[in-house]
Amino acid sequence: MQNTPVSSLVGAEYEVEVGPVAHGGHCIARTEEGRVLFVRHALPGERVLARVTEGEETSRFLRADAVEILDASKDRIAAPCPFAGPGKCGGCDWQHAKPGAQRRLKGEVVAEQLKRLAGLTPEEAGWDGTVVPAEGDKLPSGEVPQWRTRVQYAIDAEGRAGLRRHRSHEVEVVDHCMIAAPGVSELGIESRTWEGMASVEAIAASGSQDRQVILTPRPGARLPLVELDKPVSVLRVEEKDGGVHRVHGRPFVRERADERTYRVGNGGFWQVHPKAADTLMRAVMQGLLPRKGETALDLYCGVGLFAGALADRLGEQGAVLGIESGKRAVEDARHNLADFPRVRIEQGKVESVLPRTGITDVDLIVLDPPRAGAGKQTVQRLTTLSARRIAYVACDPAALARDLAYFMEGGYRVRTLRVFDLFPMTHHVECVAILEPAK
């Protein structure tokens, strides 16, 4: 018996009324036949012509771009960036929305995820519903914050630098990224050719003048001689093991937060927005209110941002245990916090290391897990440690809401939630939830 071929709907066009925003940088619409469309480059309440970019006759939903705006929202502006729009760069989601409207849309997404996955209203989560811009980011419509201190450029077959198109490996060649920080733009990466390279990541530390590029060669390609417009250290990603190795210059950059300097090596994780590390650190400390002599856990601790802030406030009698899976990040954290004798950093996955520590109770917990969240097993263990307060830092509202539901099952309640717009023009937000025992 032959299988019936599935008919692709890519390229089909539908005139639709755009409904609410959804998680992921798009809005929901329905065709007259009831098909669900996830429409990018649209805004709630608009009438648009939507062209399908992904989907077949049997798909549960279709992805589409708004290619013509028939009835525009009052929140719509002309995208400031010439590379933003249907079929172009996938880096930004909301260039076509006023800054205040972007934050409202992000707030609606967080509220919807909280309700759907954790059963919480904003009031029940101790959140006033606002999404707070970073200091200096409140700009008039048409002006774009230059916040991105780390940009990974994809390189096309001709060696030209660009950015990936949405859900695609295709490269949109650019001569300037508007959201790149000045320290990235001044390197001039877009103006030169990168023969044999698959990608070039540019890092401009916001806590120092350190500049770094990380080259990923195509298989068998030789490294080019890197001559950029500013002094820069060069690292390369090895084809065999995927490790990052120094070519010349420092293998790390120096960042600043909480009046401390942090070494971040081999392109390791650090918040991308120049104000993010201090913004999140303050929100966590204000929520936890550390007391002298207390004990604390910093899970997924990276290079030690929250562990350092905690150690500073807990004093000589306090103690902090950090857990981090990345080998280089652990080395950096131990270096960064060497002046705190009561801080210990363990390497490994949280779900593996935490049970081995033998810790049965702790005063404070900070967790800043990857985008997928901490997960049920880890949350269940944390709820047994009798912490008086827990700070959960999340870059994905869906993962946050799922984990908050697990915390509530384990006897905790959300005391406060704060939401920060640390990724302007994109659909991403950063959340800080403070939890405490429900009883």
Side-chain angles (χ1 to χ4, degrees):
M1 182 175 171
Q2 289 187 330
N3 291 329
T4 306
V6 177
S7 176
S8 170
L9 290 174
V10 172
E13 294 183 346
Y14 299 92
E15 193 175 308
V16 292
E17 293 277 354
V18 179
V21 64
H23 184 29
H26 49 252
C27 297
I28 297 173
R30 288 183 184 272
T31 67
E32 289 181 356
E33 310 90 65
R35 284 187 182 279
V36 175
L37 297 180
F38 288 168
V39 187
R40 279 173 60 80
H41 311 292
L43 292 171
E46 291 187 326
R47 187 159 191 84
V48 305
L49 185 65
R51 181 180 297 150
V52 176
T53 56
E54 281 183 52
E56 300 167 336
E57 289 281 1
T58 56
S59 300
R60 279 194 309 118
F61 60 84
L62 307 174
R63 295 185 184 275
D65 284 342
V67 293
E68 188 178 342
I69 311 304
L70 307 173
D71 187 8
S73 164
K74 62 178 174 39
D75 290 324
R76 176 172 286 277
I77 59 170
C81 177
F83 306 108
K88 296 182 182 179
C89 172
C92 291
D93 305 293
W94 299 118
Q95 288 256 354
H96 57 286
K98 293 176 182 175
Q102 292 185 34
R103 292 191 285 273
R104 284 199 306 277
L105 292 169
K106 296 182 187 196
E108 288 169 19
V109 168
V110 174
E112 189 268 337
Q113 297 295 307
L114 283 174
K115 188 65 181 170
R116 188 167 64 85
L117 298 172
L120 289 171
T121 64
E123 293 76 20
E124 289 167 336
W127 175 43
D128 64 6
T130 60
V131 177
V132 182
E135 180 188 335
D137 276 1
K138 246 187 159 177
L139 299 173
S141 293
E143 291 188 32
V144 177
Q146 298 171 314
W147 59 271
R148 196 166 188 99
T149 60
R150 293 166 178 238
V151 177
Q152 183 150 14
Y153 293 93
I155 308 301
D156 74 0
E158 296 171 42
R160 298 175 300 177
L163 298 158
R164 300 255 182 231
R165 292 172 184 159
H166 182 62
R167 294 175 61 84
S168 170
H169 292 295
E170 292 182 16
V171 178
E172 179 75 16
V173 175
V174 302
D175 57 19
H176 175 60
C177 174
M178 290 188 78
I179 63 172
V184 168
S185 299
E186 70 187 14
L187 294 177
I189 284 172
E190 302 103 329
S191 62
R192 63 156 292 167
T193 303
W194 299 91
E195 288 181 14
M197 296 301 103
S199 71
V200 176
E201 182 175 6
I203 298 173
S206 51
S208 67
Q209 291 300 306
D210 295 347
R211 304 290 181 260
Q212 191 174 81
V213 296
I214 303 175
L215 306 177
T216 303
R218 297 184 188 278
R222 297 179 62 183
L223 282 190
L225 182 66
V226 177
E227 293 180 348
L228 292 172
D229 296 346
K230 294 284 180 179
V232 66
S233 61
V234 179
L235 285 72
R236 70 168 287 166
V237 178
E238 291 293 342
E239 187 181 337
K240 291 179 183 176
D241 60 5
V244 181
H245 300 276
R246 183 177 73 90
V247 177
H248 70 74
R250 286 195 187 100
F252 59 84
V253 296
R254 294 162 297 176
E255 298 284 3
R256 289 281 293 175
D258 198 27
E259 300 181 357
R260 294 181 62 81
T261 297
Y262 287 85
R263 185 181 82 183
V264 185
N266 289 7
F269 176 77
W270 186 260
Q271 290 287 343
V272 177
H273 194 295
K275 302 289 185 182
D278 270 323
T279 298
L280 296 173
M281 181 279 303
R282 281 195 297 268
V284 167
M285 295 304 127
Q286 289 165 1
L288 293 180
L289 296 175
R291 302 167 187 162
K292 298 289 185 186
E294 287 189 317
T295 57
L297 290 174
D298 180 8
L299 308 179
Y300 317 92
C301 71
V303 300
L305 170 65
F306 297 119
L310 283 165
D312 194 45
R313 289 155 179 80
L314 297 179
E316 293 180 4
Q317 300 307 309
V320 182
L321 171 66
I323 301 177
E324 165 59 40
S325 62
K327 183 180 178 184
R328 178 59 202 244
V330 167
E331 291 172 9
D332 286 337
R334 289 171 178 164
H335 169 87
N336 294 333
L337 306 177
D339 54 334
F340 291 117
R342 302 268 292 166
V343 172
R344 192 167 99 245
I345 308 294
E346 296 284 349
Q347 187 196 343
K349 293 187 175 180
V350 168
E351 59 268 28
S352 304
V353 174
L354 190 55
R356 294 204 305 264
T357 63
I359 291 172
T360 56
D361 65 271
V362 70
D363 296 302
L364 302 171
I365 299 171
V366 181
L367 64 157
D368 185 3
R371 191 167 297 281
K376 190 170 188 177
Q377 178 189 342
T378 296
V379 171
Q380 285 176 335
R381 176 165 286 275
L382 297 182
T383 61
T384 69
L385 300 181
S386 307
R388 70 171 179 85
R389 285 205 180 164
I390 298 172
Y392 188 129
V393 183
C395 61
D396 184 89
L400 171 67
R402 280 193 297 270
D403 284 347
L404 290 182
Y406 301 142
F407 273 113
M408 291 189 293
E409 287 173 11
Y412 277 76
R413 74 177 188 95
V414 186
R415 178 184 174 89
T416 60
L417 174 68
R418 297 174 71 183
V419 184
F420 300 96
D421 187 15
L422 301 178
F423 308 89
M425 304 291 148
T426 79
H427 73 271
H428 299 289
V429 292
E430 201 83 29
C431 301
V432 177
I434 304 297
L435 298 107
E436 65 183 7
K439 293 178 183 177

